[in-house]
Amino acid sequence: MFEELLKHGYAKRSTGTEYAFTIINRLLNIVERGDREGFVKSYKSIVNSLERERPASMASWNLLREIGHHFVENEFVGLKEKILELREKYDKACWDAANIAAKRVVDGEVLMTISNSLCVRRMFKILVDEGIKYSVYVLESRPGMEGLETASYLDDLGVKTYLIVDSAARFFMKNVDKVFIGAEAIAVNGALVGKIGTSILCLTANEARVRVFAVAPLYKFSYETIHGELIELPEGDWRSLMNEEVRKTLPENYNARAPIYDVTPPNYIDAIATEYGLFAPQAVPVILRQVYGGFPPPIPSIEEILEKMR
Amino acid sequence: MFEELLKHGYAKRSTGTEYAFTIINRLLNIVERGDREGFVKSYKSIVNSLERERPASMASWNLLREIGHHFVENEFVGLKEKILELREKYDKACWDAANIAAKRVVDGEVLMTISNSLCVRRMFKILVDEGIKYSVYVLESRPGMEGLETASYLDDLGVKTYLIVDSAARFFMKNVDKVFIGAEAIAVNGALVGKIGTSILCLTANEARVRVFAVAPLYKFSYETIHGELIELPEGDWRSLMNEEVRKTLPENYNARAPIYDVTPPNYIDAIATEYGLFAPQAVPVILRQVYGGFPPPIPSIEEILEKMR
Amino acid sequence: MFEELLKHGYAKRSTGTEYAFTIINRLLNIVERGDREGFVKSYKSIVNSLERERPASMASWNLLREIGHHFVENEFVGLKEKILELREKYDKACWDAANIAAKRVVDGEVLMTISNSLCVRRMFKILVDEGIKYSVYVLESRPGMEGLETASYLDDLGVKTYLIVDSAARFFMKNVDKVFIGAEAIAVNGALVGKIGTSILCLTANEARVRVFAVAPLYKFSYETIHGELIELPEGDWRSLMNEEVRKTLPENYNARAPIYDVTPPNYIDAIATEYGLFAPQAVPVILRQVYGGFPPPIPSIEEILEKMR
Amino acid sequence: MFEELLKHGYAKRSTGTEYAFTIINRLLNIVERGDREGFVKSYKSIVNSLERERPASMASWNLLREIGHHFVENEFVGLKEKILELREKYDKACWDAANIAAKRVVDGEVLMTISNSLCVRRMFKILVDEGIKYSVYVLESRPGMEGLETASYLDDLGVKTYLIVDSAARFFMKNVDKVFIGAEAIAVNGALVGKIGTSILCLTANEARVRVFAVAPLYKFSYETIHGELIELPEGDWRSLMNEEVRKTLPENYNARAPIYDVTPPNYIDAIATEYGLFAPQAVPVILRQVYGGFPPPIPSIEEILEKMR
Amino acid sequence: MFEELLKHGYAKRSTGTEYAFTIINRLLNIVERGDREGFVKSYKSIVNSLERERPASMASWNLLREIGHHFVENEFVGLKEKILELREKYDKACWDAANIAAKRVVDGEVLMTISNSLCVRRMFKILVDEGIKYSVYVLESRPGMEGLETASYLDDLGVKTYLIVDSAARFFMKNVDKVFIGAEAIAVNGALVGKIGTSILCLTANEARVRVFAVAPLYKFSYETIHGELIELPEGDWRSLMNEEVRKTLPENYNARAPIYDVTPPNYIDAIATEYGLFAPQAVPVILRQVYGGFPPPIPSIEEILEKMR
Amino acid sequence: MFEELLKHGYAKRSTGTEYAFTIINRLLNIVERGDREGFVKSYKSIVNSLERERPASMASWNLLREIGHHFVENEFVGLKEKILELREKYDKACWDAANIAAKRVVDGEVLMTISNSLCVRRMFKILVDEGIKYSVYVLESRPGMEGLETASYLDDLGVKTYLIVDSAARFFMKNVDKVFIGAEAIAVNGALVGKIGTSILCLTANEARVRVFAVAPLYKFSYETIHGELIELPEGDWRSLMNEEVRKTLPENYNARAPIYDVTPPNYIDAIATEYGLFAPQAVPVILRQVYGGFPPPIPSIEEILEKMR
């Protein structure tokens, strides 16, 4: 099923968190079947797909790492429980981050968001449940058009929502009180990898002194960046920029480029809401240290885990 | 034919200059037929359409004003010649502005542009004719997707072109040497009305110290802004944000907004290339004074002309 | 009467325009009495007071210069008519500038202003007369507290008004759509001399991308700055910073400083509304050239006029 | 006595530290009397007053929390000693922060400050004791006019002091070497709650590349902000903006607003001097972690304490 | 003699104005000898040298153009008088611009300058003659080290002078009140071509809110830029970066680059002092229009003149 | 030998790391000789030289402190091993930081650097060893001209290198992808003390959105800044600004100033690469805490060590 999703290119449209959950569930199924060989094979195939399809999805990498680490140390002993615990912990982390972010919204405010982030959606849900009135400008988020899903979600919640083209962000910014964004990954210096357009949205908010909050559980942090690694930003198929009809009118060797993510510098983000509280992006190392008991966190790399799985 | 265009919503996709030419040609036809009554009726209907459909198209307003002024003073005497002369003069002004802009491009540079501007296209043509090598990032320019036309045009010229989503402008800006934009209108303080997304593009260029040049003949200047008038920025049909298929999945009272133009402040534009030379945007009044022999230019308003036509 | 005002320190509290009108009226009285000697004496005494009390009041200097120039050339012949004409022209210029500025305000907007400017007040009046709804944050404008007068005026107009301390400008800026300021003088490079606090207000607006409009007739322009002259900025009596009661508690040699004006750089002002239209501050020289028929304008200095009066 | 102060509205004028000391002393008196019931009642009444009168005073909240926590755990056992220890520790923390801040001042420098901060005053004292020559511009700090007290204090120290209106900060900034500010509260992302006008002062310093140092012991940090809570910023009585005489001339339904605090973003503050050293504002979480042995610090909330007191 | 200078590479070290005077004097000599053929030959050879050695020296180009134009129209008739008049006019223009700039300096101020500009030197002279006390930081201005000459000149005037390395400009900027720069050329949009390092100096001043004034007579304006032409910026011999001794230690194919000029954007310059007064850089077109009686100024190009000389 | 270096003024030209190694080696020699008295004497003399010659060299101070601390506690017992271990550890830290920094460079990029930093040089070496192609603009770094050494080093590595004057940094910045700098010291708030010109280079990079990376092992951090201490920035001999020949032409009392270091604010640095990973400059305290097991780190001061040595 998961592979079906990948095949149809839907993966890119799912939120980073949903994508990570799909991975967890898939491995859980195999563990429940007790299929050791199938587990190793699936694990490796998921690593490959992830590398190819969504290399910046830190939540997926971090969860995969924890599952792989457990397997390497204890094989199937307690693995099912470990995976269930991780799933629950991650789910709760999303809600906690959303809850903390929700406290920044004051009744009557106008928000702006981009793409389709599960954490941001949960924040919207919490606000509605708490009876806080607000309205939202949603960027459509070309080329994936994930903004349409966020807008529909908000519409179902009964929130006044305006869907706008990405390039109209500056036009409407003067009406906006706060911007909320999700993250695909957060680097150790506080830089945030988000859906393409996130950095230009944050620049525009910054120009107009509008506050920007990222909502992201700790699973989005990229340990590799501590060691200087660049986060790989995959480029999408440029054919996604147009429909088949238009495509046909273009010459065969037509050039177009469709980056899927971009990097927002930390000075354009006011704070990151995590399950451990709210911080300046530059304070990321403190949290990592607290949670992992050391800095740099003593965590094996995926390469080491794969090595041991053989 | 012109009405047909309007009906099919193509007007918005034509460049401001093409739109103006269509108006000129339509009036020219009637003048050639010697149909006085038809002229007055058409003139008024064009004014209405313009007000409704493309109120920021200064070229159209300025040409209409000159034609109306001549008619009010001299009826059909010399009107055909006047219109022909205006058409030629405007056409030449576009080429002259394009020529001046072309001189700013150095061999091997990487350019970025948005939407579909006749003047910018002519500049691209001149560069190719002069054997200057360059490549261009073209923003697709949602919701109208006029960028597709510019990209196709460049492709036909044999220029290396990258079509990108609007929100990827910041992602690629680090590769860019200069940005060229067209204008729908230029206000007296140097602010520029352009296709939605122009202001966010210029902000992004400014952040990265990349120079921005507007290419626009004098017919784009808005005399009304001298008297404090705001340029009316029409909003498009939000249904243009999605295709019918997507549209059907949304609730009936769905909210979306589709502004077509935005305003770029003069401090984000390095210079405007006009048929009278290159200037800082703030120097606009000098040129108006030179061309019209006084400041504010002694020009009747459309309202005065319509009044006299009765 | 005028001297009485000066004596009581009220002069500082009158707007620059009111101050200039007082000067005109005083000279008019003497001219009507036909008292040549009294005229010369009063003229010189006004020049002295102006130099001492309000040296940055360009409107006063410019009107004085025109009156003095006429007297030097023609003695009393046509002088009364000249003064009446100047008074009317200046009054009309204020209304014209106010009218142009009023066109920038859209129904429902929230404005912010500082001090007490006659031109800005007239703009407020025009907006009310035109049925445009708006509200205003008024800075109290220490130490003169002229903001109280503007607030009272707005209150009488029935406009929703918030009087705030000067340092709360940034706190409330997020609610504000546009800032309107008056001017004591405008320098040739577009820098604006305004009530102390104007430059910090404009900086704050700029930080939040809120547009700033100055409302000022041409009489506020300082020709001397063309020749490099610095505009003299008088410092007020620091005792104005506190009432007598507080004053008494302080040591005899207590230090305090009370500058009355400051200089706002042109890049913090979006446009200046004048009777000749709206401009970027940097375009000031064009207007001077247009009005005076040359640049630098061929105008005698006050020193030359005083010389000839002897 | 404390209630008397509150009644007379003097509380607002005391520094945050003095306010906290008053609370400590009041509770100490009751503890010394051994009046358990009185203690609980007073504690609750102080919580109420604080909430109403000075909700942003983090030092007061943090000290109250520690005292309440001890009482809930140990009743009166060791409570007197605990309170005495807290008082001494806090007092020492102020001196330590002041000492660290003082090291940033070089002989002959010109400083600027706002309001009346005990820590900043102590820094001024230390500088004088160490024989360092400096002069200070003090903003009067409308509406509370606390600047008058700081200016008097400096005058008594024999320091050359200039009292200026708040809006003259930009006028004099060109003469200034460093800005020192106190804090009412510091949020987890490094944002600083200070007397109204602090943020505009820091913006102005930032524009002119003048360094800004906050002087604040750890007791000013707001743990609640870790959990996303907004710091409540009380608004003062707008009547404080004018004296009775002026007040009477205004209409009954007159509008005015008097916020007492504002928020300065961390990027306008170069460093915070605390008793634990000097830091970038973004590094706040590190210190909290160090001092409380975990992050978020394991501290009960006031609500939990009040709950248990019943 | 002029050729001697060129041969020894001194031309680069002379100020733009001195260079222009050398050209004038050389042609004057030939005209006085009545040698028509020699004149044409010298004129062409100077054009060639200028193109090769100092293409950005607008004063030289503009003077050459006026002389050539006269010759083409009137041969030797009145040519000597024309050249003498130009020389005198240009000399006076330098003094006038220097006089206007001098008015911006207040007693006791600290200035900073770069390179060796005749106009700026004259301003320094005027200040000393007027008894105004000031001190100057002079950037040494690598690689030409022209700063040494300015520093020596100031030293002879008895002005307190600090010679500093170029990269120390930011270090000392906190002490500086105003920056004065000369120009090699000024473009129509107000951009200024100056000695390499000028733009980084102006950026640094801008960061610290220190005002920048350019001192440049109208002869420095580049008419060609009106038509979009880029000003050619010659690169020097990189061997000038080091002495022979160091040079010898480097490999034969060693890379180094020595640009001689750079471009400062108009928004980093507060005003340009010219013989026609002080302006915002963006107002350049007004002055050109005033002086040449039209815009673009009706001036033949050097190419046209050379054509006619044949 | 070391003293010889100092005598000849070469010390300033060695990198901070080389300077520290020289100190280590010198003390090692004495320890190996077993000369206790000589050790104390040399230690004190090195402290004196360091204070006088290179007070900002944090690596030297930190290493000296660790060696002195060991001596005070254990005399010569294990001292040799301790010094050897420190030398190796520091050497490795440089390589580790260089390795992490090297990961930020992508094939084909253009870099810019200033002065001569051992860590940056090692990064260049690693890149070449890994087969990554890149080119470098090297600022000559007046007055010490250390850039010449870096350029020669790169040339030997076969890297395409351009030596440029310091003030040409802005001219070439448009071609640059990333800037790499070394550090003499890093303050607790992330401010960086580097070779004079570093801060202006970083400002220029910042203006053009070019990323800046500092490469510096933990030994460069200044613990004293935690306690508010200012880092002492020595000024060089101004005679270094010119050769003897030029010097002789100047008056005896000639003024010139030659600061050797300047301070770059943390917001101009994107990240610091250390042996413990890559961080935002503001996160410095986290690392110190991690490495030293507490914050502020429990480290004796040099003064305390000297005291005990007696």
Side-chain angles (χ1 to χ4, degrees), chain F residues 157-263:
Chain F
L157 285 176
V159 173
K160 184 151 199 178
T161 308
Y162 303 100
L163 185 72
I164 60 173
V165 293
D166 301 323
S167 63
R170 192 174 181 274
F171 184 90
F172 290 111
M173 190 57 80
K174 59 178 178 293
N175 307 333
V176 172
D177 293 302
K178 276 156 198 163
V179 168
F180 286 86
I181 56 173
E184 188 76 5
I186 292 178
V188 71
N189 71 333
L192 180 149
V193 175
K195 178 72 206 314
I196 186 77
T198 301
S199 81
I200 207 171
L201 169 61
C202 294
L203 166 66
T204 306
N206 199 261
E207 183 205 17
R209 221 193 93 188
V210 170
R211 302 255 182 104
V212 175
F213 297 94
V215 193
L218 207 72
Y219 282 99
K220 301 279 188 168
F221 290 107
S222 162
Y223 307 117
E224 286 76 9
T225 58
I226 299 172
H227 306 293
E229 297 291 350
L230 291 164
I231 296 174
E232 212 179 306
L233 299 184
E235 198 153 319
D237 185 344
W238 65 269
R239 284 175 199 85
S240 66
L241 295 182
M242 56 202 82
N243 59 32
E244 204 43 40
E245 216 171 324
V246 172
R247 177 69 199 91
K248 271 183 276 178
T249 68
L250 298 171
E252 205 40 50
N253 59 346
Y254 197 74
N255 277 305
R257 295 191 57 184
I260 308 181
Y261 304 109
D262 64 12
V263 181

Side-chain angles (χ1 to χ4, degrees), chain A residues 21 87-98 122 275:
Chain A
F21 279 144
R87 190 170 68 179
E88 198 182 309
K89 201 172 138 195
Y90 184 26
D91 191 60
K92 187 173 173 308
C94 275
W95 280 112
D96 287 355
R122 286 181 173 179
E275 72 270 38

Side-chain angles (χ1 to χ4, degrees), chain C residues 81-287:
Chain C
E81 292 70 25
K82 178 72 184 177
I83 296 180
L84 286 170
E85 181 205 316
L86 280 173
R87 188 170 69 178
E88 196 181 311
K89 204 172 137 195
Y90 184 25
D91 190 60
K92 186 170 175 307
C94 276
W95 278 112
D96 287 355
N99 254 305
I100 283 173
K103 291 196 185 133
R104 310 307 291 188
V105 181
V106 175
D107 203 80
E109 284 190 332
V110 180
L111 314 180
M112 188 177 271
T113 193
I114 184 173
S115 191
N116 183 21
S117 150
L118 186 61
C119 288
V120 173
R121 263 161 65 172
R122 286 183 172 177
M123 183 198 72
F124 288 145
K125 180 74 171 65
I126 291 163
L127 288 172
V128 168
D129 290 351
E130 289 179 353
I132 293 168
K133 293 267 172 284
Y134 63 100
S135 59
V136 188
Y137 285 90
V138 182
L139 303 194
E140 59 178 18
S141 315
R142 287 276 293 162
M145 299 299 268
E146 295 90 343
L148 265 168
E149 295 183 31
T150 300
S152 293
Y153 180 80
L154 281 161
D155 209 61
D156 291 348
L157 284 177
V159 174
K160 183 151 200 178
T161 307
Y162 303 101
L163 185 72
I164 60 173
V165 293
D166 301 322
S167 64
R170 193 175 180 273
F171 185 90
F172 290 111
M173 190 55 79
K174 59 177 177 295
N175 308 332
V176 172
D177 293 302
K178 275 159 199 160
V179 168
F180 285 86
I181 55 174
E184 188 76 3
I186 291 179
V188 70
N189 71 332
L192 180 148
V193 175
K195 182 69 206 316
I196 186 77
T198 300
S199 82
I200 208 171
L201 168 61
C202 293
L203 166 66
T204 306
N206 199 261
E207 183 205 14
R209 221 192 92 189
V210 170
R211 303 257 183 103
V212 175
F213 296 94
V215 193
L218 206 71
Y219 282 100
K220 302 278 188 169
F221 290 108
S222 161
Y223 308 116
E224 285 77 9
T225 58
I226 299 173
H227 305 294
E229 297 290 348
L230 292 162
I231 296 174
E232 211 179 306
L233 300 183
E235 199 152 320
D237 186 345
W238 66 269
R239 283 175 199 85
S240 66
L241 296 181
M242 57 204 79
N243 60 33
E244 204 42 40
E245 218 171 322
V246 172
R247 178 66 200 95
K248 270 184 278 179
T249 69
L250 297 172
E252 204 42 46
N253 59 346
Y254 196 73
N255 277 305
R257 295 191 56 185
I260 308 181
Y261 303 109
D262 63 12
V263 181
T264 303
N267 51 324
Y268 289 166
I269 300 168
D270 285 83
I272 305 179
T274 73
E275 72 271 38
Y276 287 88
L278 193 86
F279 306 96
Q282 294 90 345
V284 162
V286 196
I287 317 310

